Amino acid sequence: MKPCLSLFAACLLAAPAALADTPFDYAVFEAAVPHLDLDTCPAGLAEGAVFCRVTLGHDSLHVFVFAEDGDQPFMAMRTYYEDEFTLTIGE
């Protein structure tokens, strides 16, 4: 399943213009992509009324940003490579 997820992420990065014509919202993402919910989005990634979800693939974290309103459309994605993040375990 990891290769499929990476292919999905690569398609999102490679074809942003195509996304404008394709309805990609949280309902589609929720059903198709194994992920974890984030309490807050990473600093500087998104502003306004949004929420974030994270996936793991090929030693990278992929953070997806969705709008909270309407059909919760996809807004942005950022990949954090192994040397760009640290894991903090809650109490």
Side-chain angles (χ1 to χ4, degrees):
M1 186 150 312
K2 286 183 182 178
C4 182
L5 178 60
S6 296
L7 177 60
F8 178 75
C11 289
L12 286 178
L13 291 173
L19 285 176
D21 297 331
T22 303
F24 181 66
D25 56 26
Y26 184 65
V28 172
F29 178 85
E30 174 86 46
V33 181
H35 63 277
L36 295 172
D37 298 351
L38 293 177
D39 290 337
T40 59
C41 293
L45 182 59
E47 297 179 12
V50 297
F51 62 96
C52 292
R53 301 298 186 251
V54 65
T55 65
L56 177 64
H58 298 287
D59 297 326
S60 302
L61 294 174
H62 308 283
V63 178
F64 293 81
V65 182
F66 297 90
E68 288 183 355
D69 59 343
D71 291 334
Q72 299 176 314
F74 170 75
M75 304 297 290
M77 185 189 106
R78 171 143 189 232
T79 297
Y80 295 88
Y81 296 97
E82 188 173 17
D83 58 345
E84 293 180 291
F85 62 86
T86 58
L87 182 62
T88 304
I89 304 298
E91 299 177 79

